[in-house]
Amino acid sequence: MSIELLGWGPDLAHAFSLLLSQSSLPLVPGRVVRQERGLLTVQTSERAFLSRPSGRLLHQAPSAEALPTIGDWVALIPPSGEGEALLHSLLPRRSVLMRREAGSEREGQLIAANLDVVFLVTGLDGNFNLRRIERALTIAWNSGATPVVVLSKADLHADVSALLLEVEALAQGAPVLALSALEGTGLEELRAQLPAGKTGALLGSSGVGKSTLVNRLLDEARLATQPVRPDDNRGRHTTTHRELFVLPHGGLLIDGPGMRELGLWGEEEGLSQAFSDVLAMAADCRFSDCSHRREPGCAVRAAVEAGGLSSERLESFEKLLREQAYQARQSSSAAQREQKRLERNLTLAGGQHSRAKRRRD
Ligand code: GDP
Ligand code: ZN
């Protein structure tokens, strides 16, 4: 398989040749196309290798974010005979998608790297929720990939075009499309958002129809589709790995568990993009630190009163701001703990490097 089919291009070739020029190792470029816990499958132009990160890579990683994940481009050292390849280093990423780990306030969990497009899938059934779409848009903008909002199960809704307008109003320029994986409608629009050589992922709660959609796109029943369970968070772990699929039209799609509910993760930039309309209004508030509650001359409240901004949208903006402030506090205390740990290690003259055990997916 030519790695061009996997999205290899001049920027990556350049980064790789720099790496080669600084190393005497027999490095080969490839892309992580499958991930099952710590075990990665890397596709090179020759063949696919089971690979593990080298000790050097593990030890030098400043955080879990610097470890290889599905979608990464890597330099690896092939095994001399049978056995696993050694994953020597990561090539620069175009984007990285992370999620807050359930029950953990510390590190984000890597979901995928080098996505060009993230499809935010919401079902046009009981699952439909504008606030959830806003939230997902924020996460998507943070990743560096371009979000596309996908309204799935369009066959279940009588007035899809009205909904499209409603979602477009809050999508801040992100494309919005409706489709039915069941009936096979709207798939061309989706393919058009994922041209050959570009990498996408479907994100959305369990039950919105991601597997059905992937099957459709692959033109074959590769993933087991199961009935929706009432409890979304448990059960339904039919696959334990994530995989990068080459679709018949040449687009690349990463799918697998862990691509579901997302906690908010990242910097303010994503938030400001997802709520650029609110921020534009806030620029007209009399006070620059306006909290948009009681202050006189508040342009945001004026917009709510005039009907130009829904109070729900303002509320979800404020909620996201609060969550982000909370996460900023958490990560600064995590950074302080990390600093202390490093200082402790430095004072252990000549001692073993103690590494906090990281749980990786
Ligand atoms: P996933 O958990 O997001 O992967 O969702 P699945 O693909 O497993 O689909 C969940 C349920 O929704 C299944 O019962 C599917 O048959 C159903 N479903 C998927 N796509 C559609 C669709 O376009 N229309 C309708 N009516 N049902 C769908
Ligand atoms: Zn204000």
Coordinates of all heavy atoms in Angstrom, one line a residue, residues 48-118:
A48 N 2.3 -3.8 7.2 CA 1.8 -3.4 8.5 C 2.6 -4.0 9.6 O 2.9 -5.2 9.5 CB 0.3 -3.7 8.7
F49 N 3.1 -3.3 10.5 CA 3.9 -3.8 11.6 C 3.1 -3.6 13.0 O 2.6 -2.5 13.2 CB 5.2 -3.0 11.8 CG 6.2 -3.2 10.7 CD1 6.3 -2.3 9.7 CD2 7.0 -4.3 10.7 CE1 7.2 -2.5 8.7 CE2 7.9 -4.5 9.7 CZ 8.0 -3.6 8.7
L50 N 3.1 -4.6 13.8 CA 2.7 -4.4 15.2 C 3.9 -3.7 15.8 O 5.0 -4.0 15.6 CB 2.6 -5.8 15.9 CG 1.2 -6.5 15.8 CD1 1.2 -7.7 16.6 CD2 0.1 -5.5 16.2
S51 N 3.5 -2.6 16.6 CA 4.6 -1.8 17.1 C 4.3 -1.4 18.5 O 3.2 -1.2 18.9 CB 4.7 -0.5 16.3 OG 4.6 -0.8 14.9
R52 N 5.4 -1.1 19.2 CA 5.3 -0.5 20.6 C 6.2 0.7 20.6 O 7.3 0.7 20.0 CB 5.7 -1.5 21.6 CG 4.7 -2.6 21.9 CD 5.1 -3.4 23.1 NE 4.2 -4.6 23.1 CZ 3.0 -4.6 23.7 NH1 2.5 -3.5 24.2 NH2 2.2 -5.7 23.7
P53 N 5.8 1.7 21.5 CA 6.7 2.8 21.6 C 8.0 2.4 22.3 O 8.0 1.5 23.1 CB 5.9 3.7 22.6 CG 4.5 3.2 22.6 CD 4.6 1.7 22.2
S54 N 9.1 3.0 21.8 CA 10.4 2.7 22.4 C 10.4 3.3 23.8 O 9.7 4.2 24.2 CB 11.5 3.4 21.6 OG 11.5 4.8 21.7
G55 N 11.3 2.7 24.6 CA 11.5 3.2 26.0 C 11.8 4.7 26.0 O 11.3 5.4 26.8
R56 N 12.7 5.1 25.1 CA 13.1 6.5 25.0 C 11.8 7.4 24.7 O 11.7 8.4 25.4 CB 14.0 6.6 23.8 CG 14.8 8.0 23.8 CD 15.4 8.1 22.4 NE 14.4 8.3 21.3 CZ 14.0 9.4 20.9 NH1 14.5 10.6 21.3 NH2 13.1 9.5 20.0
L57 N 11.0 6.9 23.8 CA 9.8 7.7 23.6 C 8.9 7.8 24.8 O 8.4 8.9 25.1 CB 9.0 7.1 22.4 CG 7.8 7.8 21.9 CD1 8.2 9.2 21.3 CD2 7.1 7.0 20.8
L58 N 8.7 6.7 25.5 CA 7.9 6.7 26.7 C 8.5 7.6 27.8 O 7.7 8.3 28.4 CB 7.8 5.3 27.2 CG 6.9 4.3 26.4 CD1 7.0 2.9 27.0 CD2 5.4 4.8 26.5
H59 N 9.8 7.5 27.9 CA 10.4 8.3 29.0 C 10.5 9.8 28.7 O 10.4 10.6 29.6 CB 11.8 7.7 29.4 CG 11.7 6.4 30.2 ND1 11.6 6.4 31.6 CD2 11.5 5.2 29.8 CE1 11.4 5.2 32.0 NE2 11.4 4.4 30.9
Q60 N 10.6 10.1 27.5 CA 10.8 11.5 27.1 C 9.5 12.2 27.0 O 9.4 13.4 26.9 CB 11.7 11.7 25.9 CG 13.1 11.3 26.2 CD 14.0 11.6 25.0 OE1 13.5 11.9 23.9 NE2 15.3 11.4 25.2
A61 N 8.4 11.4 26.9 CA 7.1 12.1 26.7 C 6.8 13.0 27.9 O 6.7 12.4 29.1 CB 6.0 11.0 26.5
P62 N 6.6 14.3 27.7 CA 6.3 15.1 28.9 C 4.9 14.9 29.4 O 4.6 15.2 30.6 CB 6.4 16.5 28.3 CG 6.2 16.4 26.8 CD 6.7 15.0 26.5
S63 N 4.0 14.3 28.6 CA 2.7 14.0 29.1 C 2.1 12.9 28.2 O 2.7 12.6 27.2 CB 1.8 15.3 29.0 OG 1.5 15.6 27.7
A64 N 0.9 12.4 28.6 CA 0.3 11.4 27.8 C 0.0 11.8 26.4 O -0.1 11.0 25.5 CB -1.0 10.9 28.5
E65 N -0.2 13.1 26.3 CA -0.5 13.7 25.0 C 0.6 13.4 23.9 O 0.4 13.4 22.7 CB -0.7 15.2 25.1 CG -1.4 15.8 23.9 CD -1.7 17.3 24.1 OE1 -1.7 17.7 25.2 OE2 -1.8 18.0 23.1
A66 N 1.8 13.2 24.4 CA 3.0 13.1 23.5 C 3.2 11.6 23.1 O 4.2 11.3 22.4 CB 4.2 13.7 24.2
L67 N 2.3 10.8 23.5 CA 2.4 9.3 23.2 C 1.7 9.1 21.9 O 0.7 9.7 21.5 CB 1.9 8.5 24.3 CG 2.7 8.6 25.6 CD1 2.0 7.9 26.7 CD2 4.1 8.1 25.4
P68 N 2.1 8.0 21.2 CA 1.5 7.7 19.9 C 0.0 7.3 20.0 O -0.3 6.5 21.0 CB 2.4 6.6 19.3 CG 3.1 6.1 20.4 CD 3.3 7.1 21.4
T69 N -0.8 7.6 19.1 CA -2.2 7.2 19.1 C -2.6 7.0 17.7 O -1.9 7.2 16.7 CB -3.0 8.3 19.8 OG1 -4.4 7.8 20.0 CG2 -3.1 9.6 19.0
I70 N -3.8 6.5 17.6 CA -4.4 6.2 16.2 C -4.4 7.5 15.4 O -4.7 8.5 15.8 CB -5.8 5.6 16.3 CG1 -6.4 5.3 15.0 CG2 -6.8 6.6 17.0 CD1 -6.2 3.9 14.6
G71 N -3.9 7.3 14.1 CA -3.8 8.4 13.2 C -2.5 9.1 13.2 O -2.2 9.9 12.3
D72 N -1.6 8.8 14.2 CA -0.3 9.4 14.2 C 0.6 8.9 13.0 O 0.5 7.8 12.6 CB 0.4 9.1 15.5 CG 0.3 10.2 16.5 OD1 0.3 11.4 16.1 OD2 0.2 9.9 17.7
W73 N 1.4 9.9 12.5 CA 2.5 9.5 11.6 C 3.7 9.3 12.5 O 4.0 10.1 13.4 CB 2.7 10.6 10.6 CG 1.7 10.5 9.5 CD1 0.5 11.3 9.5 CD2 1.6 9.7 8.4 NE1 -0.2 11.0 8.3 CE2 0.5 10.0 7.7 CE3 2.5 8.6 7.9 CZ2 0.1 9.3 6.5 CZ3 2.1 8.0 6.7 CH2 0.9 8.3 6.0
V74 N 4.4 8.2 12.3 CA 5.6 7.9 13.1 C 6.8 7.4 12.3 O 6.6 7.1 11.1 CB 5.2 6.7 14.1 CG1 4.0 7.1 15.0 CG2 4.8 5.4 13.3
A75 N 7.9 7.4 13.0 CA 9.1 6.8 12.4 C 9.3 5.6 13.2 O 9.4 5.6 14.5 CB 10.3 7.8 12.5
L76 N 9.4 4.4 12.6 CA 9.7 3.2 13.3 C 10.9 2.5 12.8 O 11.4 2.7 11.8 CB 8.4 2.3 13.3 CG 7.8 1.8 12.1 CD1 8.6 0.7 11.4 CD2 6.4 1.3 12.5
I77 N 11.4 1.6 13.7 CA 12.5 0.7 13.4 C 11.9 -0.7 13.3 O 11.4 -1.3 14.2 CB 13.5 0.7 14.6 CG1 13.9 2.2 14.9 CG2 14.7 -0.1 14.2 CD1 14.7 2.3 16.2
P78 N 11.9 -1.2 12.0 CA 11.4 -2.5 11.8 C 12.2 -3.6 12.5 O 13.4 -3.4 12.8 CB 11.5 -2.7 10.3 CG 11.8 -1.4 9.7 CD 12.5 -0.6 10.8
P79 N 11.5 -4.7 12.9 CA 12.3 -5.8 13.6 C 13.2 -6.5 12.6 O 12.9 -6.5 11.4 CB 11.1 -6.7 14.1 CG 10.0 -6.5 13.1 CD 10.1 -5.0 12.7
S80 N 14.3 -7.0 13.1 CA 15.2 -7.7 12.2 C 14.6 -9.0 11.7 O 14.8 -9.3 10.5 CB 16.5 -8.0 12.9 OG 16.3 -8.4 14.2
G81 N 13.8 -9.7 12.5 CA 13.1 -10.9 12.0 C 11.7 -10.7 12.2 O 11.0 -9.8 11.8
E82 N 11.1 -11.7 12.9 CA 9.7 -11.6 13.3 C 9.6 -10.7 14.6 O 10.7 -10.2 15.0 CB 9.1 -13.0 13.7 CG 8.9 -13.9 12.5 CD 7.9 -13.2 11.5 OE1 6.8 -13.0 11.9 OE2 8.4 -13.0 10.3
G83 N 8.5 -10.4 15.0 CA 8.4 -9.6 16.2 C 7.9 -8.2 16.0 O 7.5 -7.8 14.8
E84 N 7.9 -7.4 17.0 CA 7.3 -6.1 16.9 C 8.3 -5.0 16.5 O 9.5 -5.1 16.8 CB 6.7 -5.6 18.3 CG 5.5 -6.5 18.7 CD 5.1 -6.3 20.1 OE1 5.7 -5.5 20.8 OE2 4.2 -7.0 20.6
A85 N 7.8 -4.0 15.8 CA 8.6 -2.9 15.4 C 8.7 -1.9 16.6 O 7.8 -1.9 17.4 CB 8.0 -2.2 14.2
L86 N 9.7 -1.2 16.6 CA 9.9 -0.2 17.7 C 9.5 1.2 17.2 O 10.1 1.6 16.1 CB 11.4 -0.2 18.1 CG 11.7 0.1 19.6 CD1 10.9 -0.8 20.5 CD2 13.2 -0.1 19.8
L87 N 8.6 1.8 17.9 CA 8.1 3.1 17.4 C 9.1 4.1 18.0 O 9.1 4.4 19.2 CB 6.7 3.2 18.0 CG 5.8 4.0 17.1 CD1 4.4 3.5 17.3 CD2 5.9 5.4 17.5
H88 N 9.8 4.7 17.1 CA 10.9 5.6 17.6 C 10.5 7.0 17.9 O 10.9 7.6 18.9 CB 12.0 5.6 16.5 CG 13.2 6.5 16.8 ND1 13.2 7.8 16.3 CD2 14.3 6.3 17.4 CE1 14.3 8.4 16.7 NE2 15.0 7.5 17.4
S89 N 9.7 7.6 17.0 CA 9.3 9.0 17.3 C 8.0 9.3 16.5 O 7.7 8.7 15.5 CB 10.4 10.0 17.0 OG 10.9 9.7 15.7
L90 N 7.4 10.4 17.0 CA 6.2 10.9 16.3 C 6.6 12.0 15.3 O 7.5 12.8 15.6 CB 5.2 11.6 17.3 CG 4.6 10.7 18.4 CD1 3.6 11.6 19.1 CD2 3.9 9.5 17.8
L91 N 6.0 12.0 14.2 CA 6.1 13.1 13.3 C 5.1 14.2 13.7 O 4.1 13.9 14.4 CB 5.9 12.7 11.8 CG 6.9 11.7 11.3 CD1 6.6 11.3 9.9 CD2 8.3 12.1 11.4
P92 N 5.4 15.5 13.4 CA 4.5 16.6 13.8 C 3.0 16.3 13.5 O 2.7 15.9 12.4 CB 5.0 17.8 13.1 CG 6.4 17.4 12.7 CD 6.5 16.0 12.5
R93 N 2.2 16.6 14.5 CA 0.7 16.4 14.2 C 0.1 17.7 13.7 O 0.4 18.8 14.0 CB 0.1 16.1 15.6 CG 0.4 14.8 16.1 CD -0.1 14.7 17.6 NE 0.0 13.3 18.1 CZ 0.1 13.0 19.4 NH1 0.0 14.0 20.3 NH2 0.2 11.8 19.8
R94 N -0.9 17.4 12.8 CA -1.7 18.5 12.3 C -2.8 18.9 13.4 O -3.2 20.0 13.5 CB -2.5 18.1 11.1 CG -1.7 18.3 9.8 CD -2.7 18.2 8.6 NE -3.5 17.0 8.6 CZ -3.1 15.8 8.3 NH1 -1.9 15.6 7.9 NH2 -3.9 14.7 8.3
S95 N -3.3 17.9 14.1 CA -4.4 18.1 15.0 C -4.3 17.0 16.0 O -3.8 15.9 15.8 CB -5.7 18.2 14.3 OG -6.1 16.9 13.8
V96 N -4.9 17.2 17.2 CA -5.0 16.1 18.2 C -6.3 16.3 18.9 O -6.7 17.4 19.3 CB -3.8 16.1 19.1 CG1 -3.6 17.4 19.9 CG2 -3.9 14.9 20.0
L97 N -7.1 15.2 19.0 CA -8.4 15.2 19.7 C -8.2 14.6 21.0 O -7.7 13.4 21.1 CB -9.4 14.5 18.8 CG -10.8 14.6 19.3 CD1 -11.4 16.0 19.2 CD2 -11.7 13.6 18.4
M98 N -8.6 15.3 22.1 CA -8.5 14.7 23.4 C -9.8 14.8 24.1 O -10.7 15.6 23.8 CB -7.5 15.5 24.3 CG -6.2 15.7 23.5 SD -4.8 16.0 24.5 CE -5.0 14.9 25.9
R99 N -10.0 14.0 25.2 CA -11.2 14.1 26.0 C -10.8 14.0 27.4 O -9.8 13.4 27.8 CB -12.1 13.0 25.5 CG -12.7 12.2 26.7 CD -13.5 11.1 26.3 NE -12.7 9.9 26.4 CZ -13.2 8.7 26.1 NH1 -14.3 8.6 25.5 NH2 -12.5 7.6 26.2
R100 N -11.6 14.6 28.2 CA -11.4 14.6 29.7 C -11.7 13.1 30.1 O -12.7 12.6 29.7 CB -12.3 15.5 30.4 CG -12.0 15.7 31.8 CD -12.9 16.8 32.4 NE -14.3 16.5 32.1 CZ -15.3 17.4 32.2 NH1 -15.0 18.6 32.5 NH2 -16.5 17.0 32.0
E101 N -10.8 12.5 30.9 CA -11.0 11.2 31.3 C -12.1 11.1 32.3 O -12.1 11.9 33.2 CB -9.7 10.6 31.9 CG -9.4 9.2 31.5 CD -8.0 8.8 31.7 OE1 -7.1 9.7 31.4 OE2 -7.7 7.8 32.2
A102 N -13.0 10.2 32.1 CA -14.1 10.1 33.1 C -13.6 9.9 34.5 O -12.7 9.0 34.7 CB -15.0 8.9 32.7
G103 N -14.0 10.7 35.4 CA -13.6 10.5 36.8 C -12.2 11.0 37.1 O -11.7 10.9 38.2
S104 N -11.6 11.6 36.1 CA -10.2 12.0 36.3 C -10.1 13.5 36.0 O -10.6 14.0 35.0 CB -9.2 11.3 35.5 OG -8.1 12.1 35.2
E105 N -9.6 14.3 36.9 CA -9.5 15.7 36.6 C -8.1 16.1 36.1 O -7.9 17.2 35.8 CB -9.8 16.5 37.9 CG -8.7 16.7 38.9 CD -8.3 15.4 39.7 OE1 -8.8 14.3 39.3 OE2 -7.4 15.5 40.6
R106 N -7.3 15.0 35.9 CA -5.9 15.3 35.6 C -5.7 15.4 34.1 O -6.0 16.5 33.5 CB -5.0 14.2 36.1 CG -4.0 14.8 37.1 CD -3.4 13.7 37.9 NE -2.9 12.6 37.1 CZ -1.7 12.7 36.6 NH1 -0.9 13.7 36.8 NH2 -1.2 11.7 35.8
E107 N -5.3 14.4 33.4 CA -4.9 14.5 32.1 C -6.0 14.3 31.1 O -7.0 13.6 31.4 CB -3.8 13.5 31.8 CG -2.5 13.9 32.4 CD -1.4 12.8 32.1 OE1 -1.7 11.7 32.0 OE2 -0.2 13.2 32.0
G108 N -5.9 14.8 29.9 CA -6.8 14.4 28.9 C -6.5 13.1 28.3 O -5.3 12.7 28.4
Q109 N -7.4 12.4 27.7 CA -7.1 11.2 27.1 C -7.1 11.4 25.6 O -8.0 12.0 25.0 CB -8.2 10.2 27.5 CG -7.9 8.8 27.1 CD -9.1 7.8 27.2 OE1 -10.2 8.3 27.6 NE2 -8.8 6.6 27.0
L110 N -6.1 10.9 25.0 CA -5.9 11.0 23.5 C -7.0 10.2 22.9 O -7.2 9.0 23.2 CB -4.6 10.4 23.1 CG -3.4 11.4 23.2 CD1 -2.1 10.6 22.9 CD2 -3.5 12.5 22.2
I111 N -7.6 10.8 21.9 CA -8.6 10.0 21.1 C -8.1 9.7 19.7 O -8.1 8.5 19.3 CB -9.9 10.8 21.0 CG1 -10.5 11.0 22.4 CG2 -10.9 10.0 20.1 CD1 -11.8 11.8 22.4
A112 N -7.5 10.7 19.1 CA -7.0 10.4 17.7 C -6.1 11.6 17.3 O -6.3 12.7 17.8 CB -8.1 10.2 16.7
A113 N -5.2 11.4 16.4 CA -4.3 12.5 15.9 C -4.5 12.6 14.4 O -4.9 11.7 13.7 CB -2.8 12.2 16.3
N114 N -4.1 13.8 14.0 CA -4.1 14.1 12.5 C -5.4 14.0 11.9 O -5.5 13.5 10.7 CB -3.0 13.2 11.8 CG -1.6 13.6 12.3 OD1 -1.3 14.8 12.4 ND2 -0.8 12.6 12.5
L115 N -6.5 14.4 12.6 CA -7.8 14.4 11.9 C -7.9 15.7 11.1 O -7.5 16.8 11.6 CB -8.9 14.4 13.0 CG -9.0 13.1 13.8 CD1 -10.1 13.3 14.9 CD2 -9.4 12.0 12.9
D116 N -8.4 15.6 9.9 CA -8.8 16.9 9.2 C -10.2 17.3 9.5 O -10.5 18.5 9.6 CB -8.6 16.6 7.7 CG -7.2 16.2 7.3 OD1 -6.3 17.0 7.4 OD2 -7.0 15.0 7.0
V117 N -11.0 16.3 9.7 CA -12.5 16.6 9.9 C -13.0 15.8 11.0 O -12.7 14.6 11.2 CB -13.3 16.2 8.6 CG1 -14.7 16.6 8.7 CG2 -12.6 16.8 7.3
V118 N -13.8 16.4 11.9 CA -14.5 15.6 12.9 C -16.0 15.8 12.6 O -16.5 16.9 12.5 CB -14.2 15.9 14.3 CG1 -12.9 15.4 14.7 CG2 -14.3 17.4 14.6

